[in-house]
Amino acid sequence: MSVHTSLDRSDPSAAVRRPVSIHDLAAAKARGERFVMVTAYDASSAALLDEVGVPVLLVGDSLGMVVLGYDSTVPVTLEEMLHHTRAVARGARDALVVGDLPFGSYQEGPTQALSAAVRMLKEGGASAVKLEGGGPMVATTERLVTAGIPVMGHVGLTPQSVHQFGGFKVQGRDPAAAERIVEDAIALAEAGAFAVVLEAVPAAIGATVTAAIDVPTIGIGAGPHTDAQVLVWHDLLGLTSGRLPRFVKAYADLRAEISGAIKTFQSEVADGEYPGPEHTY
Ligand code: KIV
């Protein structure tokens, strides 16, 4: 029996499909194989991403902004995250499902973080959690990993700290700030994080961290040198309206497709064209 070692799971006949684990991601990095992570918030998009072969689905707290209509990720609750993580876990088959710990569910310290993370795995059905920040989050990461919970770190622009940053701004532009981000990423990896997200930082930071740690770096606005790239579902598919961050590339224009489809539905109903005989019992 051949064992499928590649993270490309888009060809089901190529090998035996089995769930993606955190060890597959480290092995991909060791082979120099780049991969993607995409956010998902419901079962149907999770099923589609899984079918296409995306190895890691992040139930990001970006949920708050792209699905729930909040101005930032700060108001997102653990209950909201659990609700959507459960849906994604039901839709995904083999992909690794990572649930974001929302603001306020882990900042009090390792004990609070452990109970939130346990809920994310037991009630949400996630296989791993993500948390934002370095510094005190290093000890928190160590505590969760010791308890058997895989942790994805996240440094650079950590959106839960938007009020501290004074907006969604690129981080690490001056040498001292850049050094802090690199040190935080290395410390998270040493504490046992299985991957580290680098958001909105100069490409040099992406390259430095990627060379310094054995676990994958996952970039979003961190340049071309990270081991993986992540995009938010709505941004990737052209569903987001308004000004987008420089790092976003829309691979489709679904906003235009969807509004075209809805307008056609409206006009066909107005004209009596739909439903036709083939849609009628
Ligand atoms: O919440 C989220 O979607 C994220 C990714 C953009 C990394 O944290």
Side-chain angles (χ1 to χ4, degrees), residues 145-157:
V145 171
T146 305
I149 299 172
V151 176
M152 179 179 281
H154 183 162
V155 295
L157 171 57

Side-chain angles (χ1 to χ4, degrees), residues 78-89:
L78 183 56
E79 296 307 323
E80 286 166 339
M81 287 306 303
L82 288 169
H83 178 73
H84 288 269
T85 305
R86 272 194 292 273
V88 170

Side-chain angles (χ1 to χ4, degrees), residues 37 39 41 58-63 73 100 130 132 154 159 197 199 220 230-232:
M37 174 166 87
T39 67
Y41 313 102
L58 171 66
V59 191
D61 63 353
S62 49
L63 160 78
T73 58
D100 235 349
K130 178 168 82 59
E132 294 185 3
H154 183 162
V197 170
E199 179 165 354
I220 176 159
V230 53
L231 281 175
V232 166

Side-chain angles (χ1 to χ4, degrees), residues 70-81:
Y70 299 140
D71 286 341
S72 77
T73 58
V74 172
V76 177
T77 65
L78 183 56
E79 296 307 323
E80 286 166 339
M81 287 306 303

